[in-house]
Amino acid sequence: MESFLIKGGVPLHGEVTISGSKNAALPILAATLLTDEPCVIRRVPDLSDTRFMVKILESLGATARFADGTVKVHARKIKGYADYELVRKMRGSICIAGPLLGRLHKARVSLPGGCIIGARPINLHLKGFASLGATIKIEGGYVDAAAKKLVGNSVFLGGRAGPTVLGTANVMMAATLADGVTVIESAACEPEVVDLAVFLNAMGAQITGAGSPTITVTGVAKLHGAEHEVIPDRVEAATFLIAAGATDGEVTLKGARADHLRAVIDKLNEAGVAVERAGAHLVARRRTRLKPVDVTTLPYAGFPTDVQAQMMSLLALAPGISIITERIFESRFMHVSELARLGADIEIEGPSAIVKGGRALSGAPVMASDLRASAALVIAGMAAKGSTQVNRIYHLDRGYERMDLKLQKLGARIGRIEEK
Ligand code: EPZ
């Protein structure tokens, strides 16, 4: 297993190009199953998750080739039954269910099960499929959805923590080939949902309202092949903006979308990290001494839960009390105890973490527990004095395209080593 070895204390300087979005690419790759014609998806980040999705498409019978950031898929003939082990291993693969149900009127996929950040049920996905007329059976770890035909309907997809991103994506995809009109209420408004709707419309779907809480899908008889370029990864962009502030450096982001990052930029400005436009690019640097701020994670356009851990690393450096409240996932504070190993002073109180910031961090061996927690540990390790070893970075490779190489280009002293 690989680790990162980081020698801290170096301010990051230079330019970094933001990759395509993992969370947009996964449902878009799944959507290629909706047509028997070829599709070309560009700016797909080279990650273990996207490579996994390509494997799943192939296991369903599609031909798929991933090279130089482009995936060519041809799902000429497919089956409605996905390999248990493959789907079970990556939660995001649940978004093949909607396309299979839409095109074949049947889908058999393994239940994704919980993960370290929360229980993550799929009841809302299934509620959406049932509203289109599908019967749902859960047996032997599988969910079976089947329908003689799908009929458009209205469905409210709000849950315990508000809308569901992949639930909205799944129901939207299934509804593209249903008879009649589907109205999704309390839909997720994330840019990744909008990017998926853009691709589906390029395939001949009729979707309006994506990006708002009400999405309308008018079913069509058939979808055709299409080409699409995935949006930039706003979570990767946020991670580099925060790394610039935490190391007291100056970093220029190329290819990031500022309009997808408003809540993050707003909080960073409040914390003393200026994020400014420079032509088409974004530049981040500290404007003043870091200041404590309160952050609450919310559905888009609120502050993203996928940036909560990284923001905690920054606020551990800001003198004073910051309160971070996680409203989306029940147990997304696994990074707190690892940040404490680096000397951070953080207490968990229910859904909030009380960060007593301003202590100097010092390097130590730490363990990554999930994708975004690992990014937070890399940021804290770069801000800390001495050496930090971040173990189990396979978590990080799931969602960041060669983060070590990008950071080295910015002057970081970071290397990939075999875990001892
Ligand atoms: C997507 O997951 C992202 N993953 C997550 O990013 C992200 O954290 C999440 O949206 C929220 O923004 C991908 O896009 C692949 P949800 P998703 O359904 O769609 C509850 C990362 O780090 N819920 O919007 O699975 C659920 O338990 C990952 O890149 C139900 O109760 O998340 C959670 O508390 C991590 N019933 C909340 O809703 C359901 O049927 C939001 O989950 C579905 C969800």
Side-chain angles (χ1 to χ4, degrees), residues 69-330:
T70 296
V71 181
K72 294 186 174 159
V73 183
H74 195 172
R76 202 191 304 272
K77 222 172 157 327
I78 54 170
K79 57 181 180 162
Y81 165 92
D83 178 283
Y84 188 93
E85 278 312 313
L86 273 180
V87 174
R88 197 180 62 73
K89 286 209 188 99
M90 180 178 72
R91 277 199 56 80
S93 51
I94 189 64
C95 59
I96 63 171
L100 294 178
L101 184 62
R103 179 168 164 194
L104 304 175
H105 296 168
K106 65 178 178 188
R108 183 175 164 80
V109 292
S110 58
L111 277 171
C115 84
I116 205 156
I117 64 176
R120 306 184 73 177
I122 58 164
N123 55 311
L124 298 168
H125 301 232
L126 304 182
K127 177 184 174 187
F129 295 158
S131 75
L132 299 175
T135 54
I136 308 290
K137 220 172 42 189
I138 296 189
E139 210 173 74
Y142 281 98
V143 56
D144 271 294
K148 284 204 180 51
K149 69 174 184 168
L150 295 179
V151 180
N153 197 350
S154 290
V155 60
F156 181 85
L157 275 192
R160 183 194 58 77
T164 162
V165 176
L166 288 181
T168 301
N170 249 334
V171 177
M172 189 165 72
M173 290 190 275
T176 53
L177 294 170
D179 288 359
V181 178
T182 297
V183 178
I184 304 174
E185 302 283 359
S186 186
C189 305
E190 271 67 5
E192 295 76 27
V193 171
V194 176
D195 204 30
L196 173 63
V198 169
F199 175 55
L200 292 169
N201 282 344
M203 296 169 82
Q206 292 179 21
I207 300 170
T208 55
S212 82
T214 305
I215 295 177
T216 303
V217 185
T218 305
V220 296
K222 194 174 182 316
L223 294 173
H224 51 74
E227 304 207 2
H228 182 79
E229 182 173 84
V230 173
I231 54 172
D233 195 311
R234 63 191 170 103
V235 182
E236 184 196 25
T239 304
F240 279 100
L241 293 175
I242 291 170
T247 61
D248 198 4
E250 177 169 321
V251 175
T252 299
L253 275 61
K254 297 173 86 173
R257 290 261 311 253
D259 57 329
H260 292 167
L261 289 159
R262 290 219 174 82
V264 173
I265 293 174
D266 178 61
K267 275 293 161 196
L268 284 175
N269 274 317
E270 215 182 307
V273 180
V275 179
E276 281 143 1
R277 285 172 193 271
H281 308 327
L282 284 178
V283 181
R285 70 173 83 77
R286 278 194 204 170
R287 189 185 46 248
T288 63
R289 225 162 71 103
L290 290 179
K291 283 177 282 183
V293 296
D294 295 343
V295 175
T296 299
T297 65
L298 292 166
Y300 190 84
F303 191 93
T305 173
D306 295 346
V307 183
Q308 176 256 99
Q310 301 92 312
M311 196 65 183
M312 191 182 287
S313 292
L314 179 79
L315 295 175
L317 304 166
I321 306 284
S322 301
I323 299 177
I324 299 179
T325 303
E326 175 58 53
R327 288 265 178 251
I328 307 294
F329 291 106
E330 316 86 277

Side-chain angles (χ1 to χ4, degrees), residues 116-117 331-339 367 369-370 373:
I116 205 156
I117 64 176
S331 48
R332 201 170 202 178
F333 283 144
M334 301 299 287
H335 39 284
V336 169
S337 53
E338 296 305 302
L339 288 173
M367 183 78 78
S369 54
D370 62 83

